[in-house]
Structures are given as structure tokens and as C-alpha cells.
Amino acid sequence: MCEMYACIAISVTIITLFETGTLIPGFFECDTTTEFLTVTFMEILTICMIPLALRLFKFKKISAALVNDGGKGLTKWGSVRMMMLCVPMTANTLLYYLFGLNVAFGYMGIICLICLIFVYPSMSRCITETNNKK
């Protein structure tokens, strides 16, 4: 859970620095090729990470490992799950400003932030998701 709050705090700090004029947005604004490749890469990364993070505990190997070790790995896999959403969210926030307020990065960052609600790392949620057999 600490990872989630730390990444949100980093993202808010990035937003504050750019919005107050401490840092100037648009450092990579003129490089359209780099912008296109970065947007494409981040879209693919974000689109792949969201369903993977939401369904992480449903994979048989991870679920079996969590059940076999008595729940000791829940914190490790919970952290992995949070970072699968937090890293793209923070990267998209930074890239939004570096590429001159490109809305694609902004929307992807907001989508990752909304997805964090669905993977909130409570112990009861982790146990419920690993014990649910479908």
C-alpha cells in the first residue's frame, strides 16, 4: 500500500511543479517522431498492464503459490500488482508535461489512477481473490 501512496505523491509533486511554473512543460514538444513512438509504447504498456494487474491473483501459478505458502507472498504479489499500475501512471504524468501537455498521456494516467481503486491492496481482498475458484 505504501507503493500506491508514494506513486500518487510523486505524481502530485510532478503536477505541482509543472503547474506552478517551477518547471516548464514541453521539453520534447518539437520532436514528433519521439512523441509518436513514446505515445504508442505507453498506450501498449498501459493497455496490457491494466487487465494483467486486475487479474493477477487469478493466474493458477500465482494463486497456488499464495495458497501453498500460507499467504506470506501476498505482500510481495500485492506490491507487484500495485507497481504494474503505479509506474505507468507516474510515467504518463511526467510524459504529459514533457511532451507539451499531450492529452493521450494525461488520459492514460487518469485511467491508471482510477484502476488503482479496483486493486486496493487490503488483505481480505487478496485472500478472497486467491480463494475464489472460477
Side-chain angles (χ1 to χ4, degrees):
M1 178 142 40
C2 182
E3 298 93 357
M4 180 178 78
Y5 293 129
C7 287
I8 290 172
I10 291 169
S11 294
V12 169
T13 303
I14 291 169
I15 292 168
T16 304
L17 288 174
F18 279 103
E19 291 295 330
T20 59
T22 305
L23 297 175
I24 311 235
F27 185 74
F28 294 119
E29 190 172 19
C30 296
D31 194 359
T32 56
T33 304
T34 304
E35 182 176 4
F36 172 74
L37 293 174
T38 307
V39 167
T40 304
F41 174 74
M42 288 307 295
E43 284 175 347
I44 292 170
L45 182 72
T46 303
I47 289 170
C48 292
M49 285 297 144
I50 290 171
L52 189 61
L54 292 173
R55 304 266 314 154
L56 184 67
F57 290 157
K58 299 293 182 181
F59 294 121
K60 291 179 183 178
K61 285 187 176 184
I62 295 172
S63 180
L66 292 175
V67 171
N68 290 339
D69 74 358
K72 294 177 186 173
L74 283 176
T75 55
K76 178 184 92 169
W77 285 107
S79 293
V80 169
R81 187 181 202 191
M82 294 306 299
M83 296 311 287
M84 290 169 76
L85 293 173
C86 288
V87 170
M89 178 189 69
T90 306
N92 281 318
T93 303
L94 180 61
L95 291 170
Y96 170 76
Y97 288 104
L98 289 180
F99 283 104
L101 309 177
N102 185 334
V103 295
F105 293 117
Y107 290 144
M108 289 186 290
I110 292 168
I111 289 168
C112 286
L113 180 65
I114 292 169
C115 288
L116 285 175
I117 297 167
F118 297 105
V119 295
Y120 182 76
S122 67
M123 186 62 77
S124 61
R125 171 175 272 173
C126 293
I127 292 170
T128 302
E129 289 183 13
T130 55
N131 291 335
N132 230 356
K133 303 293 181 198
K134 287 188 179 182

